[in-house]
Amino acid sequence: MKMLVTRPARRWAAALAGLLLIGLGGCGGGGLYPVQGKLLYEDGQPVKELAGFNVTFTSQKLGKSSVGTIEEDGSFRMTTERPNDGVFPGKYQVIISQPHPNPERNQHQQPIVDLAYENPEQTDLVADVEPIVNEFTFRLRRIKKRAN
């Protein structure tokens, strides 16, 4: 015995299938993955002087960025939406914030590491976040002191 399926029933089934596919597409591979790391000088010493400043992963291609606070030992954990939740997979420029003198705020601390790390177009630090637990170690150049 043949079942007759009307046009409206076919359209409804096709629409339902389309919604299911869209829903499933949103579930896979698009989540956040844990990212932690450490900032070291080229000689292997931790960058302790940047405690309280930020590491930022930014991707213009993905339109995403994540931030981590640098700890006393130079370590950091990345946050995108909630504390320490991680980063979306993809390739990111890594930006390091650091002190700068600001006499108006009575801040006299000088930059610690190469100023190129503050600019996404100049930094040579890159993180390729994969859909796994990610750990990065970045070796930073100390800023060259001017001779007086």
Side-chain angles (χ1 to χ4, degrees):
M1 176 170 206
K2 274 189 173 179
M3 288 193 70
L4 292 175
V5 180
T6 65
R7 248 184 225 179
R10 278 190 230 152
R11 286 185 188 147
W12 186 84
L16 182 60
L19 288 173
L20 286 172
L21 287 174
I22 290 170
L24 290 174
C27 294
L32 296 165
Y33 292 89
V35 174
Q36 62 186 17
K38 195 147 191 157
L39 302 178
L40 303 174
Y41 289 114
E42 291 174 311
D43 64 6
Q45 296 299 311
V47 183
K48 296 177 181 181
E49 298 85 352
L50 292 181
F53 287 89
N54 292 328
V55 174
T56 303
F57 285 22
T58 185
S59 172
Q60 285 190 350
K61 180 179 177 184
L62 298 173
K64 306 269 184 213
S65 64
S66 302
V67 177
T69 301
I70 303 166
E71 301 295 329
E72 293 287 332
D73 63 354
S75 67
F76 61 89
R77 289 184 183 274
M78 299 304 292
T79 294
T80 298
E81 296 168 354
R82 291 183 314 269
N84 303 325
D85 62 355
V87 178
F88 289 100
K91 194 169 189 171
Y92 293 84
Q93 266 62 48
V94 179
I95 309 304
I96 310 292
S97 67
Q98 61 181 325
H100 285 276
N102 185 341
E104 292 176 7
R105 293 188 174 174
N106 202 24
Q107 296 171 344
H108 304 287
Q109 195 175 6
Q110 297 294 317
I112 307 296
V113 295
D114 192 325
L115 297 176
Y117 299 132
E118 298 176 327
N119 186 331
E121 295 173 5
Q122 294 179 349
T123 184
D124 58 356
L125 304 176
V126 176
D128 194 1
V129 176
E130 298 181 16
I132 58 172
V133 174
N134 295 265
E135 188 157 341
F136 297 98
T137 300
F138 298 108
R139 294 194 178 259
L140 307 180
R141 297 177 299 276
R142 295 177 193 264
I143 197 161
K144 293 179 174 58
K145 304 278 183 188
R146 291 186 208 164
N148 290 338

